[in-house]
Amino acid sequence: EAGVAQSPRYKIIEKRQSVAFWCNPISGHATLYWYQQILGQGPKLLIQFQNNGVVDDSQLPKDRFSAERLKGVDSTLKIQPAKLEDSAVYLCASTPGRGSYEQYFGPGTRLTVT
Amino acid sequence: SQQGEEDPQALSIQEGENATMNCSYKTSINNLQWYRQNSGRGLVHLILIRSNEREKHSGRLRVTLDTSKKSSSLLITASRAADTASYFCATGGYNQGGKLIFGQGTELSVKP
């Protein structure tokens, strides 16, 4: 079974530029999560999708971050414009749902904003 | 917001020794999970314990849960150099759609 795929693996941009990350969850997984992990901290949930609907985006900075999962499969997370404090690893995870709580994580995208 | 507080923040042991990490949380939970993260990689699920369970084993891992104290511990027995990683506890609440809140993590170093 293929795991969660993410791209790119690394990205370096200047502040005020925009950036997009892509995630393809495990086939058949209904629930998809985006996390932000700042160096030395645990992952923080940004947004949760159930199929193509948003379940929780309470911690997503909506003035600059946006995310979509149009067909209920892969997802993109965008930052526009980026700030220095957005430097972090962005992790995507998925679960089958239906009472299964274990999350499967992708390798992450390491973003550096200069 | 971070729910879990992990202790210690860093732990260094010799191969063959046991490693114990602790996690405390604040609100009621449906389940508590432990994840491992190797440097620069994604997280890997290790074990899940439900709120009505007190202890669970998986290979060299033993997890305990004390809901009255809102705390959990992860014990890794007979550690190996390959166990070197960061370990995170994560709590799942009721009616949260599977959402997890992660702690700050414990950085474990196992020296050969």
Side-chain angles (χ1 to χ4, degrees), chain A residues 9 31 33 35 37 40-45 48 55-56 58-59 91 99 101-108 110, chain B residues 1-2 30-31 33 35 37 39-45 48 50 88 96-105:
Chain A
R9 290 295 313 277
T31 309
Y33 309 83
Y35 291 89
Q37 186 178 23
Q41 298 183 16
K44 182 184 86 170
L45 180 69
Q48 175 183 349
V55 174
D56 186 341
S58 57
Q59 296 198 79
L91 296 162
Y101 300 112
E102 172 185 343
Q103 294 190 12
Y104 297 80
F105 282 81
R110 183 177 297 277
Chain B
S1 61
Q2 299 284 355
N30 169 278
N31 66 87
Q33 303 179 37
Y35 287 80
Q37 184 176 39
S39 180
R41 312 281 281 275
L43 282 78
V44 174
H45 180 268
L48 178 152
R50 296 180 185 273
F88 294 91
Q96 294 289 303
K99 169 184 171 180
L100 292 177
I101 301 178
F102 283 82
Q104 301 276 45

Side-chain angles (χ1 to χ4, degrees), chain A residues 1 14 31 38 50 60-61 77 90 105:
Chain A
E1 174 180 82
E14 295 181 353
T31 309
I38 292 172
Q50 179 75 19
L60 187 73
L77 175 70
Y90 290 85
F105 282 81

